[in-house]
Amino acid sequence: MRIEENKSLKGYNTFGIDCSAKYFVAVTSVSELQQILSEEKFNNRFIIGGGSNMLLTKDIDALVIHLNLKGKKVLSETDNTVTIQAMAGENWHEFVQYCINNDFGGLENLSLIPGNVGTAPIQNIGAYGVELKDSFVSCDAIEITTGKKRTFTKEDCNFGYRNSIFKNEEKGNYIITSVTFQLTKKDHKLHTGYGAIQEKLTEKGIKNPTIAAISEAVIEIRQSKLPDPKKLGNSGSFFKNPVIDSEKFQQFKINNPKAPYYELSPSEYKIPAGWLIEQAGFKGKRFDDAGVHKNQALVLVNYGTATGDEIWQLALKIQQAVKDQFDIYIEPEVNII
Ligand code: EPU
């Protein structure tokens, strides 16, 4: 393990923000991770997985640990299902593709989500009617203060919409080292009803889609709306879609009869933040190198040299404009560091 000093983190966060780490180390095994956690000299640590859900607004005055844990293995199989474990440092999309190539079903709707396997449970990644929790079995994690291993079951994780125990009670306490999934080997449960998937399949003339066809449809939809972080720095949806109560919703509907919405229950309604931001006039806007994506207003982008603070100031401006126009508070989905 080589510890570097004053290392730029530009290549380690998908926003491409050029902040630096006082110390930096990449670990390639769980034992290396435990070893570095036991070193008292570095009792201030900061973990980076895929760097896909964070906005760095300052240099990190700590030891940044980059999780480079690789590997995947089938733990058990039945005629219908397979239980598979992937290490935290595996790229999420490559893992999804591996599953599809082996005809393991369950993750196809989550194709092309940026980031790594180990960070996926933290915010319970989701897209097109499917969430990570739907095929999640458990994850192994190391407690930062003790270096001890703990297995979190699905119940332990307390998953919600873009939410889990790792964003609440256990925030900053554990490092996820691997995730175990249960996937289907046959009779795959296909989710084609949400968003633009059915439309895309019809457009392609596909009547009985395979999981590979769904994955391809999702990839095409995402590529048409969401910028590729390798080409344009971004962190996917910057805000969560807000949930409002029925009283507020009734008024919202009267004022905005054409607004899209999802009824979660008779007392809760989710409004797409992208729509609110577009109505507030920010879609496609650019302020120096910080901007709002032209095809999806929920995504903030770094055109090259924006600082984390410039992006954060833009986010605050958007938040205020949406509040002023709709009296709705939109909360960031990404972690602001
Ligand atoms: N909309 C607009 N203007 C925009 C963007 C969206 O009017 O600029 C409208 C759309 O027309 C549509 C509605 O808002 O009626 C919803 O848009 P979309 O289907 O694109 O989904 P979203 O709610 O904006 C969520 C997730 C995405 C996920 C998609 C598809 C959140 C915060 N975001 O976006 O997740 O890919 O659904 O399931 O829940 C991510 O988390 O990084 C992410 C990209």
Side-chain angles (χ1 to χ4, degrees):
M1 269 186 295
R2 195 164 69 89
I3 295 177
E4 297 172 68
E5 279 186 54
N6 298 321
K7 166 111 173 159
S8 168
L9 296 175
K10 194 170 166 64
Y12 293 89
N13 69 100
T14 59
F15 252 125
I17 303 290
D18 195 8
C19 284
S20 69
K22 183 146 190 230
Y23 301 105
F24 178 92
V25 68
V27 296
T28 54
S29 69
V30 174
S31 56
E32 276 188 0
L33 174 62
Q34 285 168 314
Q35 189 190 327
I36 199 78
L37 290 175
S38 70
E39 296 212 15
E40 276 170 26
K41 180 179 171 207
F42 300 114
N43 59 4
N44 199 3
R45 305 117 176 158
F46 181 89
I47 318 301
I48 286 197
S52 62
N53 205 38
M54 59 169 66
L55 176 65
L56 293 169
T57 63
K58 55 177 188 290
D59 291 338
I60 309 289
D61 186 22
L63 171 69
V64 170
I65 303 175
H66 174 55
L67 286 186
N68 206 8
L69 311 173
K70 301 280 187 197
K72 43 194 175 295
K73 60 175 183 243
V74 169
L75 300 181
S76 63
E77 277 185 79
T78 65
D79 285 351
N80 300 323
T81 64
V82 56
T83 304
I84 183 166
Q85 182 181 58
M87 297 303 288
E90 287 288 329
N91 172 272
W92 175 261
H93 180 62
E94 284 170 22
F95 175 61
V96 172
Q97 293 303 106
Y98 165 86
C99 293
I100 288 162
N101 292 339
N102 284 283
D103 202 28
F104 299 157
L107 303 179
E108 52 283 355
N109 292 44
L110 306 178
S111 296
L112 214 63
I113 293 185
N116 286 355
V117 167
T119 34
I122 300 177
Q123 58 151 337
N124 180 27
I125 58 170
Y128 307 105
V130 172
E131 289 182 326
L132 171 105
K133 73 167 168 51
D134 302 332
S135 25
F136 179 95
V137 174
S138 65
C139 63
D140 286 345
I142 299 292
E143 189 174 28
I144 294 179
T145 51
T146 62
K148 278 196 192 137
K149 184 182 138 183
R150 175 170 163 194
T151 300
F152 287 83
T153 64
K154 187 165 162 171
E155 289 67 35
D156 293 337
C157 290
N158 207 4
F159 289 122
Y161 166 59
R162 296 293 192 279
N163 212 352
S164 75
I165 192 168
F166 303 107
K167 284 182 108 177
N168 295 287
E169 299 94 297
E170 299 297 0
K171 187 173 179 172
N173 294 346
Y174 283 90
I175 299 171
I176 295 171
T177 52
S178 67
V179 183
T180 301
F181 301 87
Q182 191 179 63
L183 304 172
T184 49
K185 282 167 58 180
K186 55 183 186 190
D187 303 330
H188 302 306
K189 291 188 193 69
L190 306 181
H191 298 269
T192 55
Y194 189 95
I197 296 188
Q198 191 54 56
E199 219 170 279
K200 181 57 88 182
L201 291 170
T202 308
E203 180 191 309
K204 294 168 77 142
I206 298 172
K207 285 206 184 78
N208 297 307
T210 57
I211 57 171
I214 293 177
S215 172
E216 276 160 34
V218 168
I219 290 171
E220 285 179 32
I221 298 165
R222 289 188 77 96
Q223 282 176 338
S224 70
K225 283 191 185 177
L226 299 165
D228 176 354
K230 289 198 191 88
K231 297 184 189 135
L232 187 60
N234 77 88
S235 199
S237 300
F238 192 90
F239 297 97
K240 286 187 193 182
N241 288 329
V243 175
I244 57 176
D245 64 25
S246 59
E247 196 185 324
K248 201 162 193 168
F249 176 70
Q250 297 316 329
Q251 193 54 48
F252 175 79
K253 187 105 183 66
I254 292 168
N255 297 342
N256 307 280
K258 289 199 181 123
Y261 64 89
Y262 317 101
E263 182 177 336
L264 302 179
S265 73
S267 59
E268 285 186 316
Y269 295 81
K270 191 185 266 187
I271 315 291
W275 185 87
L276 298 170
I277 298 167
E278 181 172 349
Q279 298 304 306
F282 281 92
K283 192 170 186 169
K285 282 274 162 66
R286 178 171 174 171
F287 303 85
D288 297 324
D289 266 1
V292 180
H293 191 51
K294 61 179 189 333
N295 298 335
Q296 165 56 289
L298 199 47
V299 178
L300 302 191
V301 295
N302 174 9
Y303 283 100
T305 62
T307 63
D309 196 51
E310 282 168 331
I311 293 186
W312 181 229
Q313 292 309 320
L314 171 58
L316 291 174
K317 207 188 281 188
I318 292 171
Q319 207 176 34
Q320 190 61 49
V322 168
K323 180 91 182 101
D324 291 346
Q325 190 168 336
F326 299 99
D327 193 28
I328 292 177
Y329 170 72
I330 52 171
E331 178 195 358
E333 190 209 78
V334 302
N335 297 306
I336 314 299
I337 309 296

